Amino acid sequence: MHKRGIRAWIIPLLVFTSTLVKFCISLGSYSGHSTPPMYGDYEAQRHWMELTLHLPFRLWYSYDLQYWGLDYPPLTAYVSWICGVIAHWINPTWVALDASRGIETEGSKIFMRSTVVAWDMLVYVPALLVFSRVWHGNRSGRTQELALLTLLFHPALLLIDFGHFQYNSVMLGFTVLAMNFFATGQDLAGAAFFTLSLGFKQMALYYAPGIGSYLLARCVFLGIPGPGFKHFTRLAITTISCFMVLFLPFYLPPFAPSFMHILNPISRIFPFNRGLFEDKVANFWCASNVVLKWRERVSRSMLVKFSAGLTALGFLPSVGVMLNSGWRMRMSAASNVAEREQEDQEKQTPFLPLLPYALLTSSFSFFLFSFQVHEKTILVPLLPMTLLLSGAPVDSSVYAWGVLVNNIGVFSMWPLLKKDGLGFQYIALLILWNRIIGYNPLRLPSGTLVQLLSLVTYTAAIGLHVLEFFFNPPSRYPDIYPVLNVLISTPVFVLAWLWSIKCGVEVGWAIGGPGPASASPTSASTTGDSIGRRAGSVGLGAGEEGVVMEGSFRQKGGRAVSLGTSQVNRRKKVGVKSRMGEEWM
Amino acid sequence: MSRDSLLDSHLRKRTVSQPERDLSTSEAECHSLPKPSQTWFKWDIERAEWNILIVSTMLKLLLYPAYRSTDFEVHRNWLAITHTLPISKWYYDTTSEWTLDYPPFFAYFEKLLSIPAYFVDSRIVDLNNLNYGGWSVIAYQRTTVILTELVLGAVLIRFIRGAIDPPTQRIISASIFLHPGFLIVDHMHFQYNGFLSGILLWSIYMARQGNKLASGILFAVLLNFKHIYMYLAPAYFIYLLRSFCMTPSGQPEIKNFVSLANAVIGVFLASFGPFILMGQIPQVLSRLFPFTRGLNHAYWAPNFWALVTAADRVLLFIANRTGLKISINESGVASTSRGLVGDTIFAIIPNVKPIHTFIITLAFQLVVLVKLWRNPTYKSFLTALTLCGYTSFLFGWHVHEKAVLLFLVPLSLLATERHAYFRTFVICSVAGVFGLFPLIFTPGESIIKVLYSICWFALVYVPLYRQVYEYPRSLVFVVMDILEKVYLAGFPFLLVLTTLIPAYTNRRVNQKVDDSSRMDFLPLMMTSVYCAIGIVWGYIRLLFVYLNEEKTYQGQLSTIR
């Protein structure tokens, strides 16, 4: 493709084709299609447009709760309101209050589908474009394009957002934007965007330990007390004021009856009165429930405590590593004050590469151990996984893990997709994505744990599909296939969670060495060689020991870095080339 | 790309192509030796080709739930007819209104497809299960389209292998395989054009390799699959007669003639034989050629008659306005207001009869055929073939817009010959594909057809454009170049207009302001007329280029004898 002078066209074309694919998926069925009286997620989202359009703020979180009452944070409500206004302008019957319930006309379907694509284009796609520029800034244009390709065609998200019908890409997009701002050192903007992410969907809370620990480590790194404390105050004020603004109409008297009215949305957003898990979800509770039957043995309140404790245990290692790195950097950096000030200006963070791993660990621990998890929630851990995967060469273990977890993530949603009538889309997207990223499980580095795991899991998954296709479940166990699905998927997710902890620790070591005595990256910049070596091994997902070198590093010791990189890049190019399939045209 | 490197690449092309030419001609000779049986069954597919195949197939898989026209039910009914009825009743059955009206090979093809269909879901082949829309039948029929289209893919890969400039041929091959026409007509609307074009290209490929007998046989087979390919028959007839049944000096080659005649008769016997034995030929022919239709199809295909019809409408409008005393055909006025349905009757312009269209078509084809007779090379044949199909599309009686694929496919093979061909290809493809858009009118699918076509165009245009670029040589060319660019730039506006007008009227109807059903026809007419302008212009261009072939540099295909 590059040879033919299409280079300048690749990124627009990628965005364009991904949009095409999104519309193609949209042709299919959606959650709750023609299943009265409750329908599904599609109807929920449509219903929210209807109620936000026609009702005053104070009724948003209390109107007819039995029929898909609003239970997402305010930003979703505002987005629904905007969509509702447009829908009303085009065709008022699509969002008529109460009268439009369960409407399934062709026009209304196209409108709903287009809103998802539009919000995705507004938030998620720009976030990814910036991500590939910022996080892979020191990599070749080709790698950046490949990263974008990997992210744009991410099958799990495409299937859920454009097939099943939800707006997850907005929530994920805000998180990616936040990460982009962290990478460029604009912590306040990053925190604000993460607040937006939380304000769109409470699921973003799964990232909170990762992001929180990163920001805390930043404060530690800047020095507490002193600049760090000031930074902390600023962050706190930004976050709180963002939340205040988001919830404004729900407690300020002109709109809301009283300040206490705020409890109304809060109790809707965090429903602790639901079960431990719904349907079948590939997490610890559901998988172990096959044998242990939790709900019969332990009381609900105990279960809540259990799950909270386990979740916290799950993400603590990554928080620890992050804070520890911040602390060690501070120690070593303190020895070279002049350079540290310079770095402050450039707002570089040496432990930035830990961020995706921290997000992965914390979101996995929530997914596996927390309360009230849906199968769709796997999208949350899949995002940092795919971000890591996006820049990884084919022969790295990040690549192997990334693709495995993604594929199994999609597989774990199969019962849901089957119910929605998205079987063809499931097959098509899995094959499409695996092909365009050049994945072949047989060609992974042989003898590694991840290859063995991949082969075993894929065999089991394909076997299960074949069984399900040819045989109906026995009448004694009507749920046998979803349960088997959970039992195949859960071990992969547990191992991936452990792997993410391991990687986090390794990256933590690689950044500053095991102890405070080792040289800091900034002081090492004088010795171009050592930095070059580091920069070479780096890049997001270049290896477990990966450290991201930012653009400004390049400005400082830029030449040395790029010289050092070339060797390692040569190795990578082999991989990249075969992934790209040499030439497309 | 800078000027320097542009020149550089041109030079390189010239210098490199010389030895390559010799090589390829010798290769072509090798191929004509009895060797093909070995090479045909080799999995000779490169990674890039696999990528295109897999990615496009997955995209088509996503289109399974897309809108499908009545043609879907037509083909399902044919599966049912050929499966449940004995062969003697195939062309008599009227259970469904969609009676079998393709030649026998296609009926046998449907019979073949109906066997697995029965095992997939026996309801598919139930004759009385009209308009069956179950999950199984959609999956099955759509899958057969994708699988039979592999014929096209296989032939296109063969085209790359022996090509003079394989990288360029690869782009052309990919552009044909991924043609938006196939996506719209086959994978949404539902037909088997990919498969049939595969046979056509196979026949053309055989002509390129010098195996003219095989080329003739394959074309005879194709004719027995779908008789619309008769549009191309004159070119085949003249080419084979001149270059296969005669020596270059004009002496008859009796042996070749007899073998070709026998082979073609054999093909027709294999196809129509059973019906000859049963004495059903008149019935079969009456199904194949129903002469009861009007000049224009429901939606006017973007051809010459669309322009004439539009001119008639405009004249009528002017006549009504100015109160001129011209004899106005009253039924023609009624025909105007009916717009979409029924026969087209002109109000002012004298009416056209089938015989008129026949004479005009033949006259234009004759011009082309005379040139082909004088210069029966592969490239000349390819151009003449394209022009024959083109002429029939432009002037034929009751032409479908889908028939545009008939000449777009061979025209694509000529695309990189020279800039003149390339520009013709661009104008015809854009106008032709846009002319297919009205086939798909549901909103969700409409977005897809537009996005896909834009993607396709960018992927074809950008890499090919630089290879063939030539500076315009005189002021006339400069003006022409600008006018053509303006014309092409008009398509986005046309798209916006044709989208907004129905949206606007829908809104008015929804809000009970008025119901102006007259407006429904307007976007279709605009599309048809605007595309017709480009297609007629493309025809003039191609005809001119063909009749005034450049002497100095003719393009790579000229080297193939």
Side-chain angles (χ1 to χ4, degrees):
Chain A
M1 249 155 110
H2 277 231
K3 267 196 283 181
R4 294 274 166 190
I6 319 189
R7 174 172 279 163
W9 291 77
I10 288 184
I11 287 181
L13 263 175
L14 280 182
V15 174
F16 212 85
T17 30
S18 73
T19 316
L20 173 69
V21 169
K22 285 166 192 169
F23 275 112
C24 287
I25 303 166
S26 302
L27 290 177
S29 172
Y30 46 78
S31 150
H33 179 63
S34 57
T35 50
M38 283 306 276
Y39 304 94
D41 277 349
Y42 172 90
E43 172 62 12
Q45 299 281 355
R46 200 206 52 75
H47 177 66
W48 294 347
M49 293 182 191
E50 164 197 334
L51 71 89
T52 48
L53 178 70
H54 292 285
L55 299 173
F57 289 119
R58 64 191 160 79
L59 289 178
W60 281 13
Y61 283 95
S62 52
Y63 182 75
D64 193 4
L65 297 179
Q66 288 313 304
Y67 190 80
W68 297 114
L70 187 55
D71 57 0
Y72 275 21
L75 195 54
T76 292
Y78 303 142
V79 163
S80 299
W81 176 73
I82 294 173
C83 294
V85 169
I86 298 170
H88 187 77
W89 183 75
I90 300 174
N91 187 343
T93 59
W94 293 345
V95 282
L97 189 62
D98 295 344
S100 66
R101 287 188 182 181
I103 185 172
E104 286 187 333
T105 62
E106 183 71 8
S108 109
K109 179 187 168 188
I110 298 299
F111 171 76
M112 294 292 290
R113 293 294 203 187
S114 313
T115 58
V116 187
V117 178
W119 285 109
D120 178 80
M121 285 295 274
L122 281 173
V123 181
Y124 191 60
V125 173
L128 293 184
L129 285 170
V130 177
F131 176 87
S132 66
R133 286 283 155 76
V134 169
W135 283 78
H136 299 306
N138 61 339
R139 310 283 295 277
S140 70
R142 194 163 195 160
T143 313
Q144 293 181 19
E145 285 150 12
L146 199 56
L148 198 61
L149 185 77
T150 312
L151 288 163
L152 280 175
F153 291 90
H154 184 203
L157 183 64
L158 290 182
L159 281 169
I160 292 300
D161 272 18
F162 305 97
H164 175 86
F165 201 93
Q166 276 193 340
Y167 295 87
N168 294 301
S169 61
V170 181
M171 181 258 289
L172 299 176
F174 280 132
T175 302
V176 176
L177 279 171
M179 288 175 71
N180 295 340
F181 279 113
F182 292 145
T184 53
Q186 290 150 289
D187 288 356
L188 296 183
F193 271 102
F194 185 64
T195 319
L196 288 183
S197 184
L198 272 172
F200 190 82
K201 206 166 176 176
Q202 58 273 45
M203 217 92 87
L205 213 55
Y206 288 15
Y207 296 134
I211 301 238
S213 64
Y214 169 78
L215 290 174
L216 213 58
R218 274 282 290 177
C219 298
V220 173
F221 168 72
L222 292 173
I224 285 183
F229 186 72
K230 218 161 78 189
H231 195 63
F232 182 81
T233 325
R234 281 204 215 119
L235 281 171
I237 291 171
T238 312
T239 315
I240 291 169
S241 52
C242 271
F243 272 119
M244 299 272 281
V245 171
L246 271 181
F247 280 88
L248 198 69
F250 303 102
Y251 59 84
L252 213 61
F255 308 107
S258 73
F259 286 108
M260 289 314 286
H261 196 72
I262 186 80
L263 291 177
N264 209 337
I266 300 289
S267 64
R268 290 289 301 156
I269 295 167
F270 299 104
F272 274 103
N273 46 2
R274 293 203 206 162
L276 183 61
F277 51 84
E278 278 185 10
D279 290 340
K280 295 282 177 288
V281 48
N283 74 355
F284 169 73
W285 297 111
C286 188
S288 56
N289 191 54
V290 175
V291 190
L292 296 173
K293 303 288 174 216
W294 292 106
R295 280 178 284 209
E296 291 163 21
R297 295 188 181 197
V298 192
S299 76
R300 245 178 48 85
S301 60
M302 272 306 281
L303 276 178
V304 172
K305 280 173 197 157
F306 262 180
S307 75
L310 271 178
T311 311
L313 265 181
F315 65 69
L316 267 182
S318 79
V319 173
V321 168
M322 186 74 94
L323 292 178
N324 178 266
S325 299
W327 180 252
R328 275 188 289 114
M329 295 298 150
R330 181 203 65 90
M331 296 280 283
S332 54
S335 61
N336 201 334
V337 180
E339 267 192 271
R340 229 200 58 206
E341 274 176 4
Q342 184 194 355
E343 192 171 49
D344 272 359
Q345 286 164 358
E346 288 166 356
K347 299 189 167 163
Q348 278 311 310
T349 319
F351 51 85
L352 184 68
L354 276 175
L355 182 59
Y357 290 100
L359 293 184
L360 186 60
T361 311
S362 73
S363 54
F364 255 134
S365 75
F366 270 98
F367 178 79
L368 287 172
F369 304 115
S370 84
F371 208 69
Q372 246 287 298
V373 175
H374 289 264
E375 60 275 63
K376 284 162 286 187
T377 319
I378 189 65
L379 288 176
V380 180
L382 283 186
L383 175 76
M385 192 77 248
T386 319
L387 294 178
L388 283 167
L389 158 72
S390 69
V394 245
D395 50 0
S396 68
S397 72
V398 178
Y399 179 82
W401 276 103
V403 186
L404 173 67
V405 172
N406 258 299
N407 284 339
I408 296 304
V410 180
F411 170 71
S412 76
M413 292 189 291
W414 165 247
L416 176 78
L417 297 170
K418 188 185 163 198
K419 202 166 74 188
D420 293 345
L422 294 167
F424 285 119
Q425 286 81 350
Y426 168 83
I427 298 167
L429 282 174
L430 271 183
I431 297 179
L432 180 72
W433 187 71
N434 279 286
R435 181 69 194 185
I436 59 181
I437 63 166
Y439 182 62
N440 183 349
L442 295 174
R443 270 203 244 138
L444 294 175
S446 60
T448 51
L449 169 74
V450 60
Q451 192 206 24
L452 189 69
L453 181 67
S454 306
L455 293 180
V456 170
T457 326
Y458 290 144
T459 316
I462 292 168
L464 185 64
H465 278 315
V466 172
L467 275 180
E468 194 174 351
F469 189 80
F470 286 109
F471 304 101
N472 287 326
S475 53
R476 218 181 124 207
Y477 304 106
D479 276 346
I480 182 85
Y481 290 125
V483 169
L484 284 175
N485 187 307
V486 165
L487 292 180
I488 293 172
S489 313
T490 313
V492 175
F493 296 150
V494 171
L495 287 172
W497 165 66
L498 292 172
W499 172 83
S500 75
I501 294 176
K502 182 192 119 193
C503 288
V505 173
E506 282 174 352
V507 174
W509 277 356
I511 294 167
S518 76
S520 79
T522 38
S523 57
S525 70
T526 44
T527 58
D529 189 45
S530 78
I531 252 227
R533 188 175 48 74
R534 262 196 206 136
S537 64
V538 217
L540 188 50
E544 287 91 336
E545 71 280 21
V547 183
V548 169
M549 289 307 198
E550 288 313 325
S552 56
F553 260 131
R554 207 169 180 168
Q555 286 148 24
K556 272 198 289 180
R559 289 305 101 203
V561 171
S562 60
L563 282 176
T565 339
S566 62
Q567 264 193 335
V568 190
N569 272 356
R570 201 168 302 142
R571 178 179 60 83
K572 277 181 206 150
K573 257 181 203 154
V574 182
V576 170
K577 203 172 177 188
S578 63
R579 288 178 66 187
M580 202 57 181
E582 285 104 1
E583 278 167 64
W584 274 84
M585 297 294 292
Chain B
M1 194 187 261
S2 69
R3 277 270 325 263
D4 287 347
S5 56
L6 188 83
L7 284 174
D8 190 42
S9 71
H10 255 283
L11 280 175
R12 211 182 310 131
K13 208 169 96 188
R14 289 284 167 86
T15 47
V16 166
S17 60
Q18 200 51 50
E20 266 185 3
R21 271 179 207 168
D22 301 341
L23 216 148
S24 68
T25 41
S26 62
E27 224 177 50
E29 279 160 20
C30 287
H31 274 288
S32 61
L33 295 173
K35 198 181 165 188
S37 60
Q38 295 171 4
T39 49
W40 281 5
F41 292 100
K42 204 168 72 182
W43 284 99
D44 186 16
I45 306 177
E46 287 177 14
R47 200 183 153 84
E49 290 151 7
W50 275 117
N51 281 338
I52 289 175
L53 179 66
I54 291 174
V55 169
S56 69
T57 306
M58 291 309 119
L59 197 71
K60 290 163 194 167
L61 206 58
L62 288 178
L63 291 178
Y64 273 24
Y67 155 83
R68 52 189 192 280
S69 74
T70 47
D71 273 358
F72 184 84
E73 169 62 13
V74 171
H75 285 87
R76 192 211 58 80
N77 184 47
W78 294 354
L79 286 177
I81 287 176
T82 51
H83 190 264
T84 40
L85 296 177
I87 189 167
S88 58
K89 296 210 176 118
W90 285 2
Y91 284 94
Y92 283 93
D93 179 75
T94 50
T95 317
S96 158
E97 59 177 315
W98 312 115
T99 53
L100 183 56
D101 58 4
Y102 272 26
F105 270 177
F106 203 85
Y108 303 150
F109 170 69
E110 291 281 2
K111 169 78 187 169
L112 205 67
L113 293 182
S114 72
I115 298 165
Y118 176 76
F119 291 103
V120 170
D121 179 359
S122 59
R123 281 169 298 174
I124 298 176
V125 290
D126 180 353
L127 193 57
N128 296 309
N129 192 7
L130 297 183
N131 294 314
Y132 180 47
W135 171 88
S136 58
V137 67
I138 294 172
Y140 180 73
Q141 292 212 80
R142 294 247 193 236
T143 309
T144 59
V145 174
I146 293 180
L147 289 180
T148 52
E149 207 182 46
L150 292 178
V151 173
L152 177 68
V155 173
L156 287 169
I157 287 176
R158 302 301 309 157
F159 262 100
I160 302 172
R161 294 302 176 261
I164 295 162
D165 180 9
T168 309
Q169 179 61 42
R170 177 170 299 149
I171 299 174
I172 295 175
S173 284
S175 91
I176 296 177
F177 189 70
L178 303 174
H179 203 287
F182 292 137
L183 193 91
I184 292 172
V185 182
D186 284 10
H187 300 285
M188 292 202 226
H189 180 89
F190 199 85
Q191 279 192 351
Y192 289 91
N193 289 295
F195 169 60
L196 298 172
S197 300
I199 302 177
L200 173 67
L201 285 171
W202 194 1
S203 165
I204 296 175
Y205 173 73
M206 281 304 168
R208 192 187 85 177
Q209 301 304 98
N211 193 345
K212 286 162 193 165
L213 182 62
S215 174
I217 294 172
L218 282 167
F219 186 69
V221 170
L222 179 64
L223 272 183
N224 283 295
F225 267 102
K226 194 171 178 179
H227 48 305
I228 197 174
Y229 286 95
M230 284 201 314
Y231 284 177
L232 307 177
Y236 265 97
F237 181 73
I238 296 296
Y239 175 64
L240 290 176
L241 191 66
R242 181 67 187 85
S243 78
F244 185 63
C245 303
M246 282 185 186
T247 59
S249 57
Q251 302 299 314
E253 292 253 29
I254 302 297
K255 211 178 102 197
N256 282 354
F257 178 76
V258 172
S259 57
L260 180 64
N262 278 339
V264 170
I265 291 170
V267 170
F268 273 87
L269 274 182
S271 164
F272 283 92
F275 301 97
I276 295 173
L277 289 180
M278 290 182 288
Q280 292 182 351
I281 291 299
Q283 169 65 15
V284 174
L285 290 182
S286 75
R287 281 286 178 83
L288 295 188
F289 302 101
F291 270 112
T292 52
R293 296 172 175 175
L295 174 66
N296 291 323
H297 187 51
Y299 150 69
W300 315 341
N303 63 6
F304 180 70
W305 302 119
L307 291 181
V308 174
T309 318
D312 181 66
R313 302 290 194 258
V314 173
L315 283 178
L316 177 66
F317 180 77
I318 294 172
N320 284 340
R321 258 301 159 82
T322 55
L324 276 178
K325 294 276 177 236
I326 309 175
S327 64
I328 293 174
N329 185 343
E330 285 306 320
S331 57
V333 179
S335 169
T336 324
S337 62
R338 279 209 308 274
L340 265 169
V341 271
D343 194 4
T344 314
I345 300 164
F346 295 137
I348 306 225
I349 295 173
N351 262 319
V352 176
K353 299 247 156 34
I355 187 73
H356 301 144
T357 64
F358 187 69
I359 290 170
I360 298 175
T361 311
L362 212 63
F364 275 96
Q365 285 191 342
L366 265 181
V367 177
V368 174
L369 294 176
V370 168
K371 168 86 180 178
L372 176 62
W373 181 268
R374 290 201 188 130
N375 180 25
T377 60
Y378 167 69
K379 184 181 166 188
S380 170
F381 163 62
L382 194 53
T383 323
L385 185 71
T386 312
L387 278 168
C388 270
Y390 213 148
T391 314
S392 313
F393 177 82
L394 275 191
F395 304 109
W397 183 262
H398 193 84
V399 174
H400 283 245
E401 62 278 40
K402 283 162 275 185
V404 80
L405 285 172
L406 220 62
F407 66 87
L408 283 186
V409 170
L411 180 62
S412 304
L413 291 176
L414 289 163
T416 53
E417 275 305 274
R418 270 177 43 225
H419 189 248
Y421 285 95
F422 180 67
R423 187 45 84 71
T424 315
F425 163 75
V426 167
I427 294 172
C428 292
S429 300
V430 172
V433 170
F434 200 97
L436 289 174
F437 280 0
L439 277 179
I440 308 294
F441 47 83
T442 45
E445 286 80 357
S446 297
I447 301 172
I448 292 167
K449 78 187 176 196
V450 173
L451 288 182
Y452 184 85
S453 304
I454 296 173
C455 265
W456 175 83
F457 184 72
L459 277 173
V460 175
Y461 184 82
V462 175
L464 290 184
Y465 168 70
R466 292 191 169 118
Q467 297 204 342
V468 292
Y469 187 76
E470 291 168 29
Y471 283 103
R473 275 163 304 172
S474 69
L475 190 65
V476 183
F477 285 98
V478 174
V479 173
M480 214 164 79
D481 183 61
I482 291 172
L483 284 179
E484 283 169 356
K485 278 179 181 158
V486 169
Y487 172 75
L488 288 175
F491 276 102
F493 296 100
L494 181 63
L495 182 67
V496 170
L497 269 182
T498 49
T499 319
L500 286 186
I501 291 175
Y504 177 73
T505 47
N506 275 345
R507 218 171 113 74
R508 306 261 289 188
V509 172
N510 280 334
Q511 296 172 350
K512 310 265 187 307
V513 179
D514 67 349
D515 57 345
S516 45
S517 57
R518 277 181 66 94
M519 294 285 270
D520 289 352
F521 192 55
L522 189 63
L524 287 181
M525 200 174 88
M526 280 164 55
T527 307
S528 178
V529 169
Y530 197 79
C531 294
I533 294 170
I535 287 188
V536 169
W537 174 241
Y539 181 73
I540 297 169
R541 277 190 73 112
L542 191 64
L543 196 63
F544 182 84
V545 172
Y546 182 54
L547 297 178
N548 304 283
E549 185 65 82
E550 190 89 10
K551 293 290 177 292
T552 47
Y553 175 65
Q554 302 182 328
Q556 31 172 298
L557 290 181
S558 314
T559 54
I560 302 173
R561 285 288 124 202

